[in-house]
Amino acid sequence: MPLQLRKLSHALGAQVCDIDLKAPLTESTFGEIYQAFLDHGILLFRDQCISREEHIAFSRRFGPLDQHDSLPQDRHPDFPELLLVTNEPHADGSASNSRYTGRQWHSDLSFTPIPSMGSLLKSWIVPEVGGDTLFANMTLAYEALSLGMQQLISPLHAIHLSGTRKINHTASGEVRAEQQRRLNPPIAQPVVRIHPETGRKALYLGEKVRRFDQMTAPESQPLIDYLNRHATRPEFVYRHQWQAHDIIVWDNRCTMHQALGDFDETQRRHLERTTVMGTPSGYVVASE
Ligand code: OGA
Ligand code: MN
């Protein structure tokens, strides 16, 4: 039976209905899922009460998984393939490292020389309301630019930095950001990437970008701001309202996403992510 797909928004995304990820998936059904992933940029599977092992096994169908050496503090203690995105305090009562993960527009691991091709995020506990995630279609955003702008940006590389500087201004947040920076030197990534499977061009930017390579930050900032604002216009965006036991897989090569802080932070929000490895991209630069 062909997959039952329901579009999530005009811009991107589809829900895969009538699939139970606990049941074995044939190669041909997985092939349809993979094609839908390429076609829609993100896929949603609802009501998937699967274990961590099953989450990891399903993720491996998409490709080899990252062990999260670039983000060691946020790894699950027993499963290096799982990255925690949680506001659950540590056992000693201190705040979680990952409570602000993703609170800016980004594509996963863009600040490393092997950016992720895709991520699979599973929600375990979600707040009563809010804690939504936004996703933007960077292929549409690129295609909506004028030819002149497309030509202007095509040779540019942008320098991506790790760490969530904008939000995490506490002392412990600064220490963590410093560790992140030591582990992950600045990387220049192409501003326009060609998707290795679909061949389509997509913008590759976000709010971890500081400046264009060989240009100063003040020279770069207006164009970076313009492109990020353009790419995240509502017509290019899907806003996901989580339910417990959702799984979303997104294509990091042609989408970006952002976690919203639109919820009561005394309530729990706990998600876990696997990260499918991509292909090498960009180059290390000497200074940010
Ligand atoms: C991520 C991420 C967003 C969210 O897991 O990569 O950015 O809403 N999460 O938790
Ligand atoms: Mn992310």
Side-chain angles (χ1 to χ4, degrees):
M1 200 179 65
L3 276 191
Q4 306 290 309
L5 295 174
R6 190 179 67 81
K7 278 184 75 107
L8 291 171
S9 74
H10 180 61
L12 77 168
Q15 179 175 354
V16 183
C17 309
D18 301 326
I19 277 254
D20 176 4
L21 295 178
K22 265 194 172 310
L25 270 186
T26 62
E27 269 311 305
S28 107
T29 304
F30 183 74
E32 285 184 60
I33 290 175
Y34 196 81
Q35 188 58 50
F37 163 75
L38 293 178
D39 292 343
H40 297 280
I42 78 173
L43 295 180
L44 165 66
F45 303 85
R46 282 223 133 118
D47 301 317
Q48 301 295 331
C49 293
I50 59 173
S51 65
R52 294 190 166 88
E53 289 84 354
E54 287 165 330
H55 178 186
I56 291 168
F58 177 56
S59 303
R60 284 220 169 93
R61 305 285 291 260
F62 288 82
L65 301 184
D66 196 275
Q67 303 284 312
H68 300 121
D69 289 336
S70 60
L71 299 160
Q73 311 92 319
D74 300 343
R75 270 194 286 228
H76 190 288
D78 303 323
F79 298 93
E81 300 87 352
L82 290 174
L83 193 77
L84 301 175
V85 181
T86 186
N87 63 5
E88 183 88 48
H90 296 295
D92 67 2
S94 61
S96 160
N97 286 329
S98 62
R99 65 195 187 286
Y100 298 131
T101 291
R103 294 272 184 100
Q104 57 190 165
W105 282 106
H106 67 284
S107 171
D108 293 331
L109 305 190
S110 69
F111 53 87
T112 75
I114 309 182
S116 161
M117 73 79 104
S119 301
L120 291 96
L121 186 61
K122 176 178 191 302
S123 51
W124 287 87
I125 306 172
V126 296
E128 184 191 343
V129 66
D132 297 352
T133 307
L134 302 178
F135 294 89
N137 183 333
M138 301 298 274
T139 310
L140 278 188
Y142 173 79
E143 288 171 356
L145 293 170
S146 66
L147 186 61
M149 181 59 92
Q150 291 177 350
Q151 286 169 343
L152 178 77
I153 64 175
S154 72
L156 297 180
H157 282 70
I159 297 176
H160 291 238
L161 305 178
S162 72
T164 47
R165 286 141 216 261
K166 271 193 359 188
I167 311 117
N168 216 350
H169 282 315
T170 59
S172 67
E174 256 319 301
V175 170
R176 178 170 179 264
E178 187 49 45
Q179 285 169 350
Q180 286 293 346
R181 284 194 281 272
R182 267 202 304 277
L183 265 177
N184 302 289
I187 302 272
Q189 296 286 1
V191 170
V192 179
R193 279 181 89 186
I194 299 180
H195 194 292
E197 294 182 88
T198 65
R200 292 174 79 183
K201 289 184 179 170
L203 269 181
Y204 194 60
L205 274 170
E207 293 174 325
K208 289 180 188 283
V209 166
R210 181 166 147 72
R211 63 179 176 86
F212 298 117
D213 193 18
Q214 300 180 340
M215 287 172 65
T216 65
E219 287 168 344
S220 311
Q221 206 60 52
L223 184 51
I224 292 169
D225 288 346
Y226 170 77
L227 292 169
N228 279 333
R229 244 191 347 265
H230 164 79
T232 57
R233 274 157 43 184
E235 59 266 42
F236 303 135
V237 168
Y238 164 63
R239 179 174 182 143
H240 185 64
Q241 297 185 295
W242 292 94
Q243 298 173 7
H245 307 295
D246 284 349
I247 294 183
I248 291 197
V249 52
W250 61 83
D251 190 332
N252 279 307
R253 301 163 296 186
C254 57
T255 67
M256 36 176 209
H257 58 281
Q258 179 183 31
L260 299 180
D262 62 338
F263 67 105
D264 174 352
E265 297 206 21
T266 66
Q267 296 183 7
R268 283 288 151 265
R269 182 177 191 272
H270 181 104
L271 300 92
E272 297 180 9
R273 181 187 104 196
T274 55
T275 313
V276 186
M277 290 176 76
T279 45
S281 171
Y283 51 88
V284 175
V285 289
S287 81
E288 58 181 66

